[in-house]
Amino acid sequence: MKPFEIADGVYSVGVTDWNIRDFHGYSTPSGTSYNAFLIIDDKIALIDTVKHQFANQFLDNISKIIDPGKIDYIISNHTEMDHSGSLPEVMHRVGSNTPLYCSKMGHKNLPLHFRQNWNYHPVKTGEELSLGKKNLVFLETKMIHWPDSMFSYLKEDGILFSSDGFGQHYAGPETFTDETSEDIFAHAKKYFANILLLFAPRIKKLISQVGDLGLTINTICPDHGLFWRKNPEKIIEAYLKWCDQVPEKKAVIVYDTMWKSTEAMAEKIAEGIADEGIYAKPMHLRNCHRSDIITEIMDAKAIVVGSPTMNNNLFPTVSDFLTYMKGLKPQDKIGAAFGSYGWSGEAVKQINNELTAMNIEPVDPGLRIQYVPEQNGLDTCHAYGKKIGQMINDSTGC
Ligand code: FEO
């Protein structure tokens, strides 16, 4: 990514990671970017850095605009290493005594990552840093999504540097969301579902607090993906909708299968749900990435989970998925379980236990079929799907 002037004296100086396909377990088929920003005024500020492996490219980008040694202040909006990983190289080049602004929790967390006694300046919400004609305001955004997270707002230009908030794992030649033909809201939705979903109540509160502060937001510059320049309120509205997790008439049937019996059950259950007028999507865990499944689940009313019993346990991919989903805490769902088994058949009960632990009340003890389902069994699956479909209709309104 070449440096780009976003507003007068405000530059995007981050890098593009075209080749990343797995971001700590989140599939990134379109790559991503690590965005960082340089503000040149009477004083010069750098907001965020990039992943460690891109440090040289990052410093080259800055050097195309100014000598990095002239930077007066460094601001770390977030300690996670995709944004802080180049700090050692940057501090070395800029000067190790350069003031490093971060939240109070950033002051705790940065030394635990880099073991350096840098010149930390912890800030609180509302504190300002004057660069001359332009002024930055800091907003703590604790647990959105790390304890140290914060936003920085450039008052005179109305630019919100939003760290991970409003980001997308998308790499492309464009700078602004209005320049792409990609469905950028789909990328933003996947990002929200996999990174931010469990913090939805906090995000809603934060958006309300930002509204109360009366900030004029012309542009939102997240640390991943493209910048929101035209109608930035659209992504804020989308966030509010995603925070509410208002369920649609939709069911996701997540399953794995050993000899296609649980798969046959999944497809018949999906057919039964669809026959009640509900959008039903079967998703095989070895063909669909868990991060795509969670994105589908975010606005679904029902999660129907299927697993064969393997050595008295859940099939391993089902365990993996349930662990992942438990951490993200989807709200207001109907849960159901099914599976084929050979002789012991514990998996269905284990799924229901996991759903219960997520505050998703299972509709019943679940549906089990021994070995290969025959026509009667498939009819039972279809009826089970219809029952789930009716429950979705009852709970979401016809
Ligand atoms: Fe993009 Fe939480 O780091």
Side-chain angles (χ1 to χ4, degrees):
M1 191 194 300
K2 285 195 299 191
F4 181 87
E5 192 169 25
I6 304 166
D8 186 30
V10 182
Y11 296 85
S12 167
V13 288
V15 300
T16 305
D17 190 346
W18 297 102
N19 291 316
I20 189 168
R21 292 294 178 267
D22 182 321
F23 187 96
H24 60 44
Y26 170 143
S27 71
T28 50
S30 304
T32 194
S33 63
Y34 312 111
N35 302 331
F37 308 93
L38 191 66
I39 305 172
I40 300 184
D41 197 357
D42 299 342
K43 297 287 187 182
I44 299 174
L46 177 68
I47 300 179
D48 289 325
T49 73
V50 301
K51 210 173 184 179
H52 182 253
Q53 73 203 69
F54 296 96
N56 287 341
Q57 191 183 329
F58 178 51
L59 284 164
D60 282 349
N61 279 352
I62 296 171
S63 300
K64 285 174 184 147
I65 301 165
I66 49 133
D67 172 359
K70 292 185 174 171
I71 291 173
D72 296 291
Y73 309 121
I74 296 172
I75 292 149
S76 171
N77 276 337
H78 181 23
T79 305
E80 194 165 9
M81 285 191 284
D82 47 333
H83 309 297
S84 69
S86 298
L87 267 175
E89 287 79 1
V90 168
M91 294 304 284
H92 178 72
R93 184 79 175 269
V94 174
S96 60
N97 201 38
T98 306
L100 175 52
Y101 288 80
C102 57
S103 65
K104 200 170 152 194
M105 288 307 295
H107 187 202
K108 281 190 178 174
N109 289 348
L110 285 166
L112 294 174
H113 282 72
F114 300 103
R115 310 291 166 181
Q116 294 288 330
N117 189 24
W118 287 321
N119 184 10
Y120 298 104
H121 284 246
V123 291
K124 290 189 277 197
T125 291
E127 279 192 50
E128 297 197 14
L129 175 64
S130 174
L131 305 178
K133 294 174 279 305
K134 296 179 192 268
N135 294 277
L136 280 164
V137 186
F138 302 109
L139 297 167
E140 292 166 279
T141 57
K142 196 171 181 182
M143 295 318 301
I144 305 174
H145 71 125
W146 274 29
D148 48 77
S149 297
M150 69 174 192
F151 291 175
S152 300
Y153 174 72
L154 188 61
K155 280 164 82 172
E156 289 69 18
D157 296 287
I159 301 177
L160 185 68
F161 300 100
S162 60
S163 187
D164 279 335
F166 310 111
Q168 330 97 47
H169 279 314
Y170 170 71
E174 315 91 339
T175 301
F176 297 100
T177 56
D178 54 274
E179 295 173 326
T180 185
S181 56
E182 280 279 320
D183 184 354
I184 208 68
F185 278 90
H187 288 286
K189 182 180 176 185
K190 180 172 175 178
Y191 194 96
F192 185 97
N194 285 277
I195 305 284
L196 300 172
L197 184 63
L198 75 160
F199 304 114
R202 282 178 180 266
I203 294 169
K204 198 168 174 189
K205 200 167 158 193
L206 171 72
I207 291 174
S208 160
Q209 283 170 344
V210 170
D212 292 345
L213 290 171
L215 307 181
T216 301
I217 297 174
N218 297 325
T219 309
I220 299 175
C221 292
D223 274 358
H224 297 290
L226 306 182
F227 310 145
W228 306 89
R229 167 179 64 176
K230 279 194 182 160
N231 303 321
E233 63 278 4
K234 294 277 181 210
I235 186 62
I236 295 172
E237 284 164 16
Y239 261 50
L240 287 171
K241 181 180 163 213
W242 297 332
C243 284
D244 285 341
Q245 296 185 58
V246 177
E248 296 179 3
K249 287 183 185 290
K250 174 178 171 183
V252 180
I253 301 95
V254 189
Y255 71 96
D256 208 326
T257 192
M258 292 169 73
W259 293 104
K260 304 270 184 199
S261 292
T262 301
E263 181 163 76
M265 293 178 75
E267 290 178 0
K268 272 291 165 196
I269 290 170
E271 201 178 295
I273 295 171
D275 283 349
E276 290 299 316
I278 307 291
Y279 176 70
K281 183 162 186 165
M283 300 185 85
H284 185 308
L285 276 159
R286 277 177 288 153
N287 295 324
C288 304
H289 196 273
R290 63 165 97 86
S291 52
D292 292 315
I293 297 173
I294 283 292
T295 310
E296 290 289 344
I297 282 174
M298 189 166 80
D299 52 17
K301 181 63 191 176
I303 306 166
V304 189
V305 183
S307 175
T309 296
M310 185 183 195
N311 302 328
N312 308 109
N313 268 297
L314 294 170
F315 197 75
T317 54
V318 180
S319 294
D320 170 279
F321 174 75
L322 289 170
T323 301
Y324 189 66
M325 183 166 74
K326 190 191 286 182
L328 290 165
K329 296 186 169 66
Q331 302 292 313
D332 193 16
K333 309 292 182 199
I334 292 170
F338 66 96
S340 160
Y341 69 102
W343 48 98
S344 55
E346 292 91 339
V348 168
K349 187 172 180 193
Q350 289 171 2
I351 292 168
N352 272 344
N353 288 344
E354 288 297 315
L355 292 173
T356 303
M358 293 177 222
N359 287 325
I360 299 171
E361 195 56 41
V363 298
D364 59 19
L367 179 60
R368 300 190 314 162
I369 291 180
Q370 193 166 22
Y371 291 117
V372 180
E374 33 58 273
Q375 192 56 51
N376 272 350
L378 294 174
D379 290 346
T380 303
C381 291
H382 185 266
Y384 194 54
K386 281 181 74 72
K387 172 180 162 179
I388 295 166
Q390 284 158 11
M391 291 179 79
I392 296 170
N393 276 328
D394 289 346
S395 58
T396 54
C398 292

